[in-house]
Amino acid sequence: METAAELADALVRVIRANGPIPVADYMEAANGLYYAAHDPFGVKGDFITSPEISQMFGELIGIWIADLWTRSRALGAYYVELGPGRGTLAADALRAMGALRRHPEVHFVETSPVLRRLQKERVPDAVWHEGIETLPTDAPLIVVANEFFDALPYRQYIKTYSGWRERVVTHDADGFRPVPGDAPAEDVVPEHLHDAVAGSIYETSPAGLAVARALAARIVKQGGALLAIDYGHENYAAGDTLQALNAHAYADVFSNPGANDITAHVDFTALGEAGRLGGARIEGPVSQSYFLATLGIAARAAALSRHHPDRTEEIGAAYHRLTSEEEMGTLFRAIAMVSPKWPKPAGFEVG
């Protein structure tokens, strides 16, 4: 397995030979090693995702899937998860679905050998895929993508006094650092930003939008839905949201590639448009707080507290973290891409 130091050396060689590389290429290489090399989740890792905070999160998603599947009247469906972490969400969702007599075949899209081993411990009968291209084609797909799109490569563009340029990464005595590229980039930056002030940054994730559009097209053809939950924004205009995490603290994006988790805020407006281009009906986005509240997280928290009175404080803290405006409640959003032939999913009653 390549080390972070070896990756840094490899990137330096590429830059010296061919010139600066796009931010997206740097991010892809860094995250590729980061996820392949270790388990980043939990208290001992670099960050904690919603499924690791509480079983309530995965259970409610399982109920969401079982409800939608039942109302669709489809005889069968596949449970698909993109970037399933340790398999915690899937295990909780499948347990809840089983209680409702829904037992789908499970398919994981995961490239990390380390995470595949952890997933196998929790969901031993899953089928693993390197990408979405090999997912089954003979039944509806119900796809879950929790904190998946934020980690896909993002391209960045910066407004200079000479116009828009792609942001690229170079290397010198001070290490890796971003600089404006040489080629004009007005043709890829939205027209309403052409007159933005110098220093403005526009970012987009062609890789993420391509995945969303392709899955939407599959869902239209096969039936099913995609539920994406992530942190991000709507009606994005401009701004640098690229960030790195290490040991639950912010780190320098351009230091130690492969040692830190690099993400960016998801543009839910663009994600929804990609789904529409694929032919899917779009529901949301709504806040995570609204989505979980509509699915009954308050009742589930109360029930867990009754059955585990010794854990009441822990359950209350998890409920607060998942739903509070000061925590994950509004920064995180949920969006669904649904087959036009399928019913409206729960949790998106607004609008």
Side-chain angles (χ1 to χ4, degrees):
M1 178 70 69
E2 187 179 36
T3 66
E6 289 169 339
L7 173 61
D9 288 342
L11 290 173
V12 169
R13 288 195 298 272
V14 169
I15 291 169
R16 286 176 178 170
N18 304 313
I21 60 175
V23 165
D25 292 0
Y26 174 89
M27 183 177 178
E28 182 176 21
N31 277 354
L33 175 60
Y34 176 80
Y35 283 101
H38 68 293
D39 170 17
F41 303 98
V43 175
K44 295 181 180 180
D46 295 325
F47 55 87
I48 298 179
T49 59
S50 294
E52 303 291 338
I53 291 171
S54 172
Q55 69 187 72
M56 296 184 288
F57 186 83
E59 289 171 345
L60 291 174
I61 288 179
I63 293 169
W64 182 89
I65 293 171
D67 170 70
L68 181 61
W69 181 0
T70 299
R71 289 189 289 115
S72 77
R73 299 187 178 180
L75 294 179
Y78 293 106
Y79 174 95
V80 177
E81 192 169 344
L82 310 179
R86 291 173 167 172
T88 305
L89 189 161
D92 291 337
L94 292 166
R95 185 177 63 253
M97 293 170 69
L100 297 172
R101 299 182 180 179
R102 293 291 179 181
H103 304 280
E105 186 175 298
V106 179
H107 290 258
F108 287 158
V109 178
E110 178 61 73
T111 59
S112 166
V114 172
L115 293 177
R116 281 192 179 196
R117 287 195 292 272
L118 294 172
Q119 292 155 15
K120 191 171 183 63
E121 293 175 4
R122 292 168 173 80
V123 190
D125 296 327
V127 178
W128 280 266
H129 301 261
E130 291 285 326
I132 64 173
E133 300 79 14
T134 56
L135 291 172
T137 59
D138 59 343
L141 304 175
I142 302 181
V143 185
V144 176
N146 181 63
E147 292 196 51
F148 171 78
F149 287 101
D150 65 285
L152 295 183
Y154 275 73
R155 302 192 86 94
Q156 288 193 320
Y157 301 88
I158 185 166
K159 178 66 178 294
T160 72
Y161 290 110
S162 301
W164 283 96
R165 301 289 186 269
E166 181 161 16
R167 208 174 186 210
V168 295
V169 180
T170 189
H171 186 274
D172 54 26
D174 295 323
F176 294 102
R177 60 186 180 88
V179 296
D182 295 329
E186 268 75 13
D187 59 332
V188 294
V189 174
E191 188 173 349
H192 70 274
L193 292 177
H194 284 189
D195 294 329
V197 299
S200 298
I201 289 177
Y202 169 73
E203 56 191 23
T204 183
S205 177
L209 299 181
V211 169
R213 183 172 181 174
L215 281 172
R218 291 282 298 272
I219 285 165
V220 170
K221 185 176 181 179
Q222 296 175 227
L226 182 152
L227 173 66
I229 302 176
D230 225 311
Y231 59 93
H233 38 229
E234 299 170 56
N235 303 314
Y236 168 76
D240 181 6
T241 71
L242 211 62
Q243 64 183 37
L245 284 176
N246 187 291
H248 302 274
Y250 289 109
D252 182 354
V253 171
F254 300 103
S255 292
N256 301 316
N260 307 317
D261 174 51
I262 304 176
T263 62
H265 286 209
V266 173
D267 180 352
F268 278 89
T269 304
L271 197 64
E273 182 58 27
R276 287 188 188 91
L277 289 172
R281 188 178 77 249
I282 305 303
E283 303 288 353
V286 298
S287 69
Q288 177 170 292
S289 177
Y290 176 87
F291 181 72
L292 295 178
T294 305
L295 297 183
I297 190 172
R300 181 57 181 146
L304 280 174
S305 293
R306 286 195 301 271
H307 285 93
H308 304 280
D310 57 319
R311 294 177 53 206
T312 297
E313 185 175 341
E314 170 198 339
I315 293 165
Y319 171 82
H320 177 78
R321 187 166 183 182
L322 291 171
T323 63
S324 169
E325 290 186 8
E326 294 78 30
E327 296 283 349
M328 304 172 74
T330 54
L331 175 61
F332 280 70
R333 290 169 167 78
I335 193 170
M337 303 176 189
V338 189
S339 165
K341 297 179 180 179
W342 274 44
K344 186 181 183 74
F348 295 95
E349 287 75 6
V350 170

